[in-house]
Amino acid sequence: MRLTVPHTLGREAAVARIRAREHEIADIMPSMATVTTTWAGDDRLDLRIEAMGKSIHGAVEVGDQSVSFEFELPAALAFAEPMIRAAVEPRAQQLLA
């Protein structure tokens, strides 16, 4: 699942904002999830989300005009993509505000 959020901050400012608010990324996920974050470069934040006995890998990639949130949903959770997208999108936009 890939969700792209446009921004007008520029890459450096968007990265700085995400680094400053990195602890809030866990708030994007459902309350029962545990989120582990690791920076894998200047503009990529790797995520591991554990919930309901499942582990989901994802990443936040910062571009000049957008930030992409990508999650590798297991086939068993593919049905939930619209619900996950609806929950994540507004919170992802707030992360850049």
Side-chain angles (χ1 to χ4, degrees), residues 8-21:
T8 58
L9 301 170
R11 182 186 307 255
E12 287 183 22
V15 167
R17 198 159 292 179
I18 290 172
R19 283 186 182 272
R21 300 176 79 180

Side-chain angles (χ1 to χ4, degrees), residues 38-46 58-62:
T38 307
W39 282 94
D42 292 337
D43 54 8
R44 179 184 169 93
L45 179 63
D46 287 338
V60 179
E61 293 184 32
V62 183

Side-chain angles (χ1 to χ4, degrees), residues 1-3 27-30 33 49 51-52 54 56 69-92:
M1 180 186 101
R2 186 173 184 91
L3 172 67
D27 296 339
I28 292 174
M29 303 303 147
I49 302 139
M52 300 184 298
K54 302 284 185 198
I56 299 170
F69 295 80
E70 189 165 343
F71 304 99
E72 298 172 11
L73 293 179
L77 294 178
F79 74 94
E81 181 177 335
M83 293 176 285
I84 294 169
R85 183 178 300 276
V88 169
E89 189 168 16
R91 291 180 177 162

